[in-house]
Amino acid sequence: LWGLSAGGGLMLIIFLASQGGMGGGDVKLAALLGFWLGFKGAVMALLLGFVSGALVGVVLILLGLRRRQDPLPFAPFLNTGALITVFWGGALAEWYLTLIGW
Protein backbone atom coordinates (compact mmCIF):
# COMPACT_ATOMS: atom_id res chain seq x y z
CA LEU A 1 0.00 0.00 0.00
CA TRP A 2 2.94 2.35 0.56
CA GLY A 3 4.00 1.77 -3.03
CA LEU A 4 0.50 2.48 -4.29
CA SER A 5 0.48 5.70 -2.28
CA ALA A 6 3.94 6.71 -3.50
CA GLY A 7 3.28 6.05 -7.18
CA GLY A 8 -0.30 7.20 -7.36
CA GLY A 9 0.12 10.07 -4.91
CA LEU A 10 3.06 11.67 -6.66
CA MET A 11 1.41 11.36 -10.05
CA LEU A 12 -1.86 12.71 -8.65
CA ILE A 13 -0.02 15.81 -7.41
CA ILE A 14 1.54 16.25 -10.86
CA PHE A 15 -1.86 15.66 -12.50
CA LEU A 16 -3.51 18.34 -10.38
CA ALA A 17 -0.64 20.81 -10.74
CA SER A 18 -0.29 20.39 -14.51
CA GLN A 19 -3.96 21.22 -15.19
CA GLY A 20 -4.36 18.71 -17.99
CA GLY A 21 -0.70 18.20 -18.91
CA MET A 22 -0.72 14.74 -17.33
CA GLY A 23 -3.51 12.29 -17.97
CA GLY A 24 -5.57 10.36 -15.42
CA GLY A 25 -4.43 7.09 -16.96
CA ASP A 26 -0.86 7.88 -15.99
CA VAL A 27 -1.97 8.36 -12.39
CA LYS A 28 -3.75 5.00 -12.37
CA LEU A 29 -0.83 3.24 -14.05
CA ALA A 30 1.66 4.69 -11.53
CA ALA A 31 -0.59 3.62 -8.64
CA LEU A 32 -0.83 0.08 -10.05
CA LEU A 33 2.92 -0.10 -10.63
CA GLY A 34 3.51 1.14 -7.09
CA PHE A 35 1.18 -1.50 -5.71
CA TRP A 36 3.05 -4.17 -7.68
CA LEU A 37 6.62 -2.96 -7.11
CA GLY A 38 6.35 -1.65 -3.56
CA PHE A 39 7.54 1.69 -2.23
CA LYS A 40 11.21 1.48 -3.28
CA GLY A 41 10.33 -0.01 -6.65
CA ALA A 42 7.72 2.66 -7.30
CA VAL A 43 10.18 5.45 -6.55
CA MET A 44 12.79 3.88 -8.81
CA ALA A 45 10.33 3.19 -11.64
CA LEU A 46 9.03 6.77 -11.51
CA LEU A 47 12.55 8.19 -11.46
CA LEU A 48 13.58 6.05 -14.43
CA GLY A 49 10.36 6.96 -16.25
CA PHE A 50 10.91 10.69 -15.70
CA VAL A 51 14.55 10.52 -16.79
CA SER A 52 13.87 8.41 -19.89
CA GLY A 53 10.90 10.59 -20.87
CA ALA A 54 12.96 13.75 -20.46
CA LEU A 55 15.84 12.36 -22.51
CA VAL A 56 13.57 11.23 -25.34
CA GLY A 57 11.70 14.54 -25.25
CA VAL A 58 14.92 16.57 -25.48
CA VAL A 59 16.19 14.44 -28.37
CA LEU A 60 12.88 14.82 -30.25
CA ILE A 61 12.97 18.59 -29.74
CA LEU A 62 16.61 18.85 -30.84
CA LEU A 63 15.87 16.80 -33.96
CA GLY A 64 12.95 19.06 -34.75
CA LEU A 65 10.42 16.22 -34.62
CA ARG A 66 8.48 17.77 -31.72
CA ARG A 67 8.00 21.21 -30.27
CA ARG A 68 8.11 21.95 -26.57
CA GLN A 69 4.31 22.36 -26.43
CA ASP A 70 3.58 19.04 -28.19
CA PRO A 71 2.21 16.27 -25.96
CA LEU A 72 4.29 13.16 -25.38
CA PRO A 73 2.58 10.07 -23.92
CA PHE A 74 4.11 9.20 -20.56
CA ALA A 75 2.81 5.63 -20.09
CA PRO A 76 5.53 4.02 -22.26
CA PHE A 77 8.18 5.66 -20.10
CA LEU A 78 6.47 4.53 -16.89
CA ASN A 79 6.35 0.99 -18.25
CA THR A 80 10.00 1.15 -19.29
CA GLY A 81 10.96 2.34 -15.81
CA ALA A 82 8.97 -0.50 -14.25
CA LEU A 83 10.59 -3.13 -16.48
CA ILE A 84 14.08 -1.83 -15.74
CA THR A 85 13.21 -1.84 -12.03
CA VAL A 86 11.96 -5.43 -12.14
CA PHE A 87 15.00 -6.81 -13.96
CA TRP A 88 17.86 -4.55 -12.83
CA GLY A 89 16.48 -2.49 -9.94
CA GLY A 90 18.61 -4.05 -7.22
CA ALA A 91 21.82 -3.75 -9.23
CA LEU A 92 21.02 -0.14 -10.18
CA ALA A 93 20.27 0.82 -6.58
CA GLU A 94 23.50 -0.81 -5.39
CA TRP A 95 25.50 0.93 -8.13
CA TYR A 96 23.99 4.32 -7.30
CA LEU A 97 24.57 3.95 -3.55
CA THR A 98 28.21 3.04 -4.21
CA LEU A 99 28.52 5.98 -6.57
CA ILE A 100 27.43 8.46 -3.89
CA GLY A 101 29.55 6.68 -1.29
CA TRP A 102 26.76 5.41 0.88
Side-chain angles (χ1 to χ4, degrees):
L1 292 177
W2 283 110
L4 184 140
S5 299
L10 177 62
M11 292 299 284
L12 181 62
I13 292 169
I14 294 171
F15 172 76
L16 295 173
S18 71
Q19 299 174 349
M22 179 76 63
D26 295 325
V27 176
K28 296 173 198 170
L29 177 60
L32 177 66
L33 290 175
F35 184 71
W36 178 47
L37 296 171
F39 181 79
K40 291 178 185 177
V43 171
M44 180 173 280
L46 285 172
L47 177 66
L48 291 170
F50 290 138
V51 169
S52 62
L55 289 175
V56 169
V58 167
V59 168
L60 289 174
I61 290 170
L62 290 176
L63 293 175
L65 299 173
R66 296 272 179 144
R67 291 175 299 142
R68 196 167 177 266
Q69 299 81 13
D70 293 341
L72 188 63
F74 191 57
F77 302 108
L78 277 176
N79 290 330
T80 301
L83 283 174
I84 292 171
T85 299
V86 166
F87 291 110
W88 300 289
L92 275 174
E94 186 177 319
W95 169 79
Y96 180 71
L97 291 175
T98 340
L99 184 69
I100 64 171
W102 201 2

